[in-house]
Coordinates of all heavy atoms in Angstrom, one line a residue:
C238 N -15.8 -21.4 -4.2 CA -15.2 -22.2 -3.1 C -16.0 -22.1 -1.8 O -15.6 -22.5 -0.8 CB -13.7 -21.9 -2.9 SG -13.3 -20.3 -2.3
G239 N -17.3 -21.6 -2.0 CA -18.2 -21.7 -0.9 C -18.2 -20.6 0.2 O -18.8 -20.9 1.3
Y240 N -17.7 -19.5 -0.1 CA -17.8 -18.4 0.9 C -19.2 -17.9 0.9 O -19.9 -17.8 -0.1 CB -16.9 -17.2 0.5 CG -15.5 -17.2 0.9 CD1 -14.5 -17.6 -0.1 CD2 -15.0 -16.7 2.1 CE1 -13.1 -17.5 0.3 CE2 -13.7 -16.6 2.4 CZ -12.7 -17.0 1.5 OH -11.4 -16.9 1.8
E241 N -19.6 -17.4 2.1 CA -20.8 -16.5 2.2 C -20.3 -15.1 2.0 O -19.4 -14.7 2.7 CB -21.5 -16.7 3.5 CG -22.9 -16.2 3.5 CD -23.7 -16.4 4.8 OE1 -23.0 -16.8 5.9 OE2 -24.9 -16.3 4.8
I242 N -20.9 -14.3 1.1 CA -20.2 -13.1 0.7 C -21.1 -11.9 1.0 O -22.3 -11.9 0.6 CB -19.9 -13.1 -0.8 CG1 -19.0 -14.3 -1.2 CG2 -19.3 -11.7 -1.3 CD1 -18.9 -14.5 -2.7
L243 N -20.5 -10.8 1.6 CA -21.2 -9.5 1.7 C -20.4 -8.5 0.9 O -19.1 -8.4 1.1 CB -21.2 -9.1 3.2 CG -21.8 -7.7 3.5 CD1 -23.3 -7.7 3.1 CD2 -21.6 -7.4 4.9
G244 N -21.0 -7.8 0.0 CA -20.2 -6.8 -0.8 C -20.9 -5.5 -0.6 O -22.1 -5.3 -0.7
V245 N -20.0 -4.5 -0.3 CA -20.5 -3.1 -0.1 C -19.7 -2.1 -0.9 O -18.4 -2.2 -0.9 CB -20.6 -2.7 1.3 CG1 -21.3 -1.3 1.5 CG2 -21.2 -3.7 2.2
T246 N -20.4 -1.3 -1.7 CA -19.7 -0.3 -2.5 C -19.9 1.1 -2.0 O -21.0 1.5 -1.6 CB -20.4 -0.4 -3.9 OG1 -20.1 -1.6 -4.5 CG2 -20.0 0.8 -4.9
L247 N -18.8 1.9 -2.0 CA -19.0 3.3 -1.8 C -19.1 4.0 -3.2 O -18.1 3.9 -4.0 CB -17.8 3.9 -1.1 CG -17.7 5.5 -1.1 CD1 -18.9 6.1 -0.2 CD2 -16.4 6.0 -0.6
C248 N -20.2 4.6 -3.5 CA -20.3 5.4 -4.8 C -19.5 6.7 -4.6 O -20.0 7.6 -4.1 CB -21.8 5.6 -5.1 SG -22.7 4.1 -5.4
A249 N -18.2 6.6 -5.0 CA -17.3 7.7 -4.7 C -17.6 8.9 -5.6 O -17.3 10.1 -5.3 CB -15.9 7.3 -4.9
N250 N -18.2 8.7 -6.8 CA -18.5 9.7 -7.8 C -19.7 9.3 -8.6 O -20.0 8.1 -8.6 CB -17.3 9.9 -8.7 CG -16.8 8.6 -9.3 OD1 -16.1 7.8 -8.7 ND2 -17.2 8.4 -10.5
M251 N -20.3 10.2 -9.3 CA -21.3 9.8 -10.3 C -20.4 9.4 -11.5 O -19.4 10.0 -11.9 CB -22.2 11.0 -10.7 CG -23.0 11.6 -9.5 SD -23.9 10.3 -8.6 CE -25.2 9.8 -9.8
A252 N -20.9 8.3 -12.2 CA -20.1 7.7 -13.3 C -20.0 8.7 -14.4 O -20.8 9.7 -14.5 CB -20.7 6.4 -13.7
A253 N -19.1 8.4 -15.3 CA -18.8 9.4 -16.4 C -20.0 9.7 -17.2 O -20.9 8.9 -17.5 CB -17.7 8.8 -17.4
G254 N -20.2 11.0 -17.5 CA -21.3 11.5 -18.3 C -22.5 11.8 -17.5 O -23.4 12.5 -18.0
V255 N -22.6 11.4 -16.3 CA -23.8 11.7 -15.5 C -23.8 13.2 -15.1 O -24.8 13.9 -15.2 CB -23.9 10.8 -14.2 CG1 -25.1 11.3 -13.3 CG2 -24.0 9.4 -14.5
L256 N -22.6 13.7 -14.8 CA -22.5 15.1 -14.5 C -21.5 15.7 -15.5 O -20.7 15.0 -16.1 CB -21.9 15.3 -13.1 CG -22.7 14.7 -11.9 CD1 -21.9 14.9 -10.6 CD2 -24.0 15.4 -11.8
P257 N -21.7 17.0 -15.8 CA -20.8 17.6 -16.8 C -19.4 17.9 -16.3 O -19.0 19.1 -16.3 CB -21.6 18.9 -17.2 CG -22.3 19.2 -15.9 CD -22.6 18.0 -15.2
Q258 N -18.7 16.9 -15.8 CA -17.4 17.2 -15.3 C -16.5 15.9 -15.5 O -17.0 14.8 -15.4 CB -17.4 17.6 -13.9 CG -18.0 16.5 -13.0 CD -18.4 17.1 -11.6 OE1 -19.0 18.1 -11.5 NE2 -18.0 16.4 -10.5
P259 N -15.2 16.1 -15.7 CA -14.4 14.9 -15.9 C -14.1 14.2 -14.6 O -14.3 14.8 -13.5 CB -13.0 15.5 -16.4 CG -13.0 17.0 -16.0 CD -14.5 17.4 -15.8
L260 N -13.7 12.9 -14.6 CA -13.4 12.2 -13.4 C -11.9 12.1 -13.2 O -11.1 12.2 -14.1 CB -13.9 10.7 -13.6 CG -15.3 10.5 -13.9 CD1 -15.7 9.0 -14.0 CD2 -16.2 11.2 -12.9
S261 N -11.5 12.0 -11.9 CA -10.1 11.9 -11.6 C -9.9 10.9 -10.5 O -10.8 10.8 -9.6 CB -9.5 13.2 -11.2 OG -9.7 13.5 -9.9
G262 N -8.8 10.1 -10.6 CA -8.5 9.2 -9.5 C -8.3 9.8 -8.2 O -8.7 9.3 -7.1
E263 N -7.8 11.1 -8.2 CA -7.6 11.8 -6.9 C -8.9 12.1 -6.3 O -9.1 11.9 -5.0 CB -6.9 13.1 -7.1 CG -5.4 13.0 -7.5 CD -5.2 12.6 -9.0 OE1 -6.1 12.9 -9.8 OE2 -4.3 11.8 -9.3
E264 N -9.9 12.5 -7.1 CA -11.2 12.8 -6.5 C -11.8 11.5 -5.9 O -12.4 11.6 -4.8 CB -12.1 13.3 -7.7 CG -13.6 13.6 -7.3 CD -14.5 13.5 -8.5 OE1 -14.1 13.2 -9.6 OE2 -15.7 13.7 -8.2
V265 N -11.7 10.4 -6.6 CA -12.2 9.1 -6.0 C -11.5 8.8 -4.7 O -12.2 8.5 -3.7 CB -11.9 8.0 -7.0 CG1 -12.2 6.6 -6.4 CG2 -12.8 8.2 -8.3
N266 N -10.2 9.0 -4.6 CA -9.5 8.7 -3.3 C -9.9 9.7 -2.2 O -10.1 9.3 -1.1 CB -8.0 8.7 -3.5 CG -7.5 7.5 -4.3 OD1 -8.2 6.5 -4.3 ND2 -6.4 7.6 -5.0
E267 N -10.1 10.9 -2.6 CA -10.6 11.9 -1.6 C -11.9 11.5 -1.0 O -12.2 11.6 0.2 CB -10.6 13.3 -2.2 CG -9.3 14.0 -2.2 CD -9.3 15.2 -3.1 OE1 -10.4 15.8 -3.3 OE2 -8.2 15.6 -3.6
M268 N -12.8 11.2 -2.0 CA -14.2 10.8 -1.5 C -14.1 9.5 -0.6 O -14.8 9.4 0.4 CB -15.1 10.5 -2.7 CG -15.5 11.7 -3.4 SD -16.5 12.8 -2.4 CE -18.1 12.1 -2.6
A269 N -13.3 8.6 -1.0 CA -13.2 7.4 -0.2 C -12.7 7.7 1.2 O -13.2 7.1 2.2 CB -12.2 6.4 -0.9
E270 N -11.8 8.6 1.3 CA -11.3 9.0 2.6 C -12.4 9.7 3.4 O -12.6 9.5 4.6 CB -10.1 10.0 2.5 CG -8.8 9.5 1.8 CD -8.1 8.4 2.6 OE1 -8.2 8.5 3.9 OE2 -7.5 7.5 2.0
Q271 N -13.1 10.6 2.7 CA -14.1 11.4 3.4 C -15.2 10.6 3.9 O -15.8 10.8 5.0 CB -14.7 12.4 2.3 CG -15.6 13.4 2.9 CD -16.2 14.4 1.8 OE1 -15.5 14.6 0.8 NE2 -17.4 14.8 2.0
Y272 N -15.6 9.5 3.2 CA -16.7 8.7 3.6 C -16.3 7.5 4.4 O -17.2 6.7 4.8 CB -17.6 8.3 2.4 CG -18.4 9.5 1.9 CD1 -17.9 10.3 1.0 CD2 -19.6 9.8 2.5 CE1 -18.6 11.5 0.6 CE2 -20.4 10.9 2.2 CZ -19.9 11.7 1.2 OH -20.6 12.8 0.8
A273 N -15.0 7.3 4.7 CA -14.5 6.2 5.4 C -15.1 6.0 6.8 O -15.4 4.8 7.1 CB -13.0 6.2 5.5
P274 N -15.4 7.1 7.5 CA -16.0 6.8 8.9 C -17.4 6.1 8.8 O -17.6 5.1 9.5 CB -16.2 8.2 9.4 CG -15.1 9.0 8.7 CD -15.0 8.5 7.4
H275 N -18.3 6.6 7.9 CA -19.6 5.9 7.7 C -19.4 4.5 7.2 O -20.0 3.5 7.7 CB -20.4 6.6 6.7 CG -20.9 7.9 7.1 ND1 -20.4 9.1 6.7 CD2 -21.9 8.2 8.0 CE1 -21.0 10.1 7.3 NE2 -21.9 9.6 8.1

Side-chain angles (χ1 to χ4, degrees):
C238 66
Y240 276 98
E241 196 175 17
I242 303 170
L243 176 68
V245 188
T246 291
L247 168 68
C248 297
N250 54 279
M251 298 311 290
V255 176
L256 301 175
Q258 62 196 45
L260 304 184
S261 81
E263 290 73 36
E264 177 203 0
V265 168
N266 287 334
E267 275 165 29
M268 287 295 279
E270 298 292 330
Q271 187 181 330
Y272 286 91
H275 289 104

